[in-house]
Amino acid sequence: MFREMTRRAFLARLAGGVALTAFAPYAMRMAFAQNATTPDLAPATVPAVQPDPENVLRKTIPSTGGNIPAIGLGSWITFNVGNDTALRDECAAVMAAFLDEGGIMIDSSPMYGSAQDVIGYGLARLGLPKSVFSADKVWISGGDNGPGQISDSLKKWGVAQFDLLQVHNLLSWQDHLPILQRMKADGQLRYVGITTSHGRRSDDLADIMRREPLDFIQITYNPQDRMAEQQLLPLAQDRGIAVIINRPFQGGRLTEYLAGKPVPDFAADIGAQSWAQLILKFIISHPAVTCAIPATTRVNHVRENVRAAHGPMPDAALRARIAKAVAEA
Amino acid sequence: MSEWWSYSLSDLLMFSPRVYYRLFEGFNTAFWLPNLVLLACGIVFALLVWRRIGLAGRLVPGMLAIMWAWVAWGFLWRYYTPVNLAAPWMVGLFAVQVGVLIGHAVRPKDLVFAWRGDFSSFVGAGMLFAAIVVWPLAAPLSGRAWQGAELFGSAPDPTIIGTLGMILLARGTWRWTLLPVPVAWCLISSATLWVMDQDIAWVMLVVAWLSVLGGWMDQKNGVTRGRLP
Ligand SMILES: NC(=O)c1ccc[n+]([C@@H]2O[C@H](COP(=O)([O-])OP(=O)(O)OC[C@H]3O[C@@H](n4cnc5c(N)ncnc54)[C@H](OP(=O)(O)O)[C@@H]3O)[C@@H](O)[C@H]2O)c1
């Protein structure tokens, strides 16, 4: 994560910097004549352990009985890098590592700026891997605009059809759901879903879950946001709806807060080596959860995240201890 | 969307600070020549506004219009739009300001630029210095590459700060029409930098506040009502 220097350090350097000003035009000319610097992120260290896709926990999609790995990949912010080739290549490297580890579900939306284009770029670079489970969204007012947006999204991804299309944040869901159901019936789509986050409009979502034949819902759930345990997760189980979990790290706030704090000893009992893995294990071990979709810009993080789906999962008692440990850290 | 009220500003930020700052690197690398030429013009014109010079009333708004158009098309449209869904609206805002600046460049009773020694003159001078000298240094001083320096004439924030500095050094009727768009941009930019956790966010707020204060004091003192004797 980018760190701004402290104001004091800024002012101290400013004093010296002003003296440089006379030479600035020359220095700028010299600097601009070179290519843009390549990203200053040191190449992420790859864990020494070899990927073990066979060992990744897979969970069932109730509507079809199929199954998918319990960790997917989000793309909000992290993959919105515009046309910056160096950053696009970094995203492609994250996707490559994700697939290498045995992950398959990649989630995006027309709302995520250039993220869909960047996923398309990555997929093309990786030779359009067949294993990918493409999960995208429709996010536009009015049903008439839905099909156009979906075909734009398909072009951006560079795929012929999506595995899952979700109505993003319930926007115009009454219009979009019938269209998605029709696409599914026509064989142009495998699964239909709907999303929300931050616990917004939970009651509306519950109503829709009761009335509509959904394959997936996507909601927020993590040791700090447990509202879904009250209503949505049990309802999903009841109705046989698969559940994707967004914001597993509260958009990164949780991992940032926990960074440097000692990981509890009991983490070793379930093979978790970091807070991130502990949190992901907490999430995917909930019986109603099908998969979590953490987003990342880093190869080592994506490997760490998929590997959270290896090994033993916490039982109810251990899940309670994880939530307590996160709250008290 | 029916629940906009439940979104916090940070939920709406759709790119990372790293991506944002690298936009300037890419922009400066691809367009170093126009960006440096505009910076040089900006420096020359900043020197013009101190003493009353006949043509400055037309040349300065004209040059500022070119800068705003370049920021809008060169930076906002080509670089910012792919990562920010709101950028096309910002381009619209900039287009309005280009129109207003051109209006001032061609109107019969042009603006007069000169040092008056009052509050607005000092603030205006300070803003020009900040736009031309200080803001570009923020990149290297924050550990980012020189190529990512945000320059007066091509990057939005320093161009807005410098524009406001020049406006504060101007006198003439309808001068206030030049203020709303830059002030609005200061608020937008400050909010963006703030959600990106950048300390520098407060600078844009102070710039907006000083501009409005300076404009108001000038109004009270009769500075904007007529030309210099
Ligand atoms: N309504 C909706 O449909 C909706 C709403 C929100 C989100 N989503 C989806 O859900 C996805 C996930 O949510 P999110 O992106 O908001 O938040 P998130 O996955 O909770 O957090 C992402 C942040 O976590 C950090 N991170 C990832 N792995 C890490 C690790 N192993 N260790 C430490 N830090 C780590 C990343 O930083 P680094 O880059 O440094 O790794 C990134 O900044 C989104 O990308 C999007 O696809 C959907």
Side-chain angles (χ1 to χ4, degrees), chain A residues 76 111-112 139 167-171 173 194-209 217-221 225-228 231-232 246-247 253, chain B residues 1-13:
Chain A
W76 166 244
M111 186 196 172
Y112 299 172
W139 179 70
V167 179
H168 196 153
N169 284 350
L170 277 64
L171 181 65
W173 67 268
I194 190 160
T195 80
T196 182
S197 64
H198 302 72
R200 292 184 187 110
R201 299 184 68 181
S202 297
D203 291 337
D204 292 344
L205 179 60
D207 277 351
I208 298 167
M209 288 166 71
I217 58 161
Q218 187 186 131
I219 55 174
T220 298
Y221 177 57
D225 288 304
R226 300 179 62 182
M227 205 173 95
Q231 178 178 222
L232 295 178
N246 60 37
R247 295 179 54 80
R253 257 168 262 163
Chain B
M1 299 189 87
S2 55
E3 286 207 343
W4 277 114
W5 51 266
S6 70
Y7 285 77
S8 72
L9 255 187
S10 56
D11 295 329
L12 303 178
L13 184 76

Side-chain angles (χ1 to χ4, degrees), chain A residues 1 73-78 107-109 111-112 137 166-169 195-198 200 218 220 222 244-253 255-256 274 276-277 280 293-298 300-302 304-305, chain B residues 7:
Chain A
M1 170 117 314
L73 179 64
S75 62
W76 166 244
I77 297 184
T78 50
D107 176 82
S108 196
S109 167
M111 186 196 172
Y112 299 172
K137 308 193 185 91
Q166 308 152 92
V167 179
H168 196 153
N169 284 350
T195 80
T196 182
S197 64
H198 302 72
R200 292 184 187 110
Q218 187 186 131
T220 298
N222 60 58
I244 300 171
I245 299 301
N246 60 37
R247 295 179 54 80
F249 304 136
Q250 287 189 324
R253 257 168 262 163
T255 36
E256 228 170 275
S274 63
Q277 289 191 330
L280 291 174
I293 47 168
T296 179
T297 54
R298 304 175 65 113
N300 59 338
H301 282 172
V302 82
E304 178 184 345
N305 293 346
Chain B
Y7 285 77

